[in-house]
Amino acid sequence: MALVIPDVLEESCTTRQALERLAAKWRVLLIYALLAGPQRHAELRRRLPGITQKVLTETLRNMESDGLVERRVLKETAPQHVEYALTTLGKTLREPLSAICAWAAEHG
């Protein structure tokens, strides 16, 4: 089977669209954090020094919209307890991200 190389310079290219979504500053780091399993907002904030509460919330919402993260309500009454986890789609990023880590370790 021949390797198909998409024309990522075209705006309509789905590979380009995926790369643009993943290239957002905190997304890949959040995916790495969530590969360890479901976590609450405060845990994610501790694990990602430098991210603001607002940016974390916005990024998680956008990742939820993209189908990468799911938000689970653990306790409905105030104060509400919520955790975030990778969806099946989000978990498919494990291997590509591992390959990037391996490449960085070898060439960094």
Side-chain angles (χ1 to χ4, degrees), residues 17-34:
Q17 293 167 6
L19 288 171
E20 286 174 350
R21 282 196 168 107
L22 291 173
K25 183 175 181 179
W26 296 101
R27 280 188 173 218
V28 171
L29 297 177
L30 277 167
I31 291 167
Y32 273 115
L34 290 169

Side-chain angles (χ1 to χ4, degrees), residues 77-92:
T77 57
Q80 192 179 53
H81 292 184
V82 175
E83 72 177 10
Y84 296 88
L86 290 176
T87 60
T88 302
L89 177 63
K91 290 175 185 175
T92 65

Side-chain angles (χ1 to χ4, degrees), residues 63-95:
M63 291 173 71
E64 186 178 10
S65 294
D66 289 340
L68 298 173
V69 169
E70 68 177 328
R71 180 181 184 267
R72 300 178 190 152
V73 178
L74 304 175
K75 180 182 163 203
E76 292 284 346
T77 57
Q80 192 179 53
H81 292 184
V82 175
E83 72 177 10
Y84 296 88
L86 290 176
T87 60
T88 302
L89 177 63
K91 290 175 185 175
T92 65
L93 293 167
R94 180 185 302 269
E95 282 189 47

Side-chain angles (χ1 to χ4, degrees), residues 5-17:
I5 300 173
D7 188 358
V8 296
L9 301 179
E10 289 294 324
E11 286 185 23
S12 61
C13 176
T14 56
T15 301
R16 176 181 172 156
Q17 293 167 6

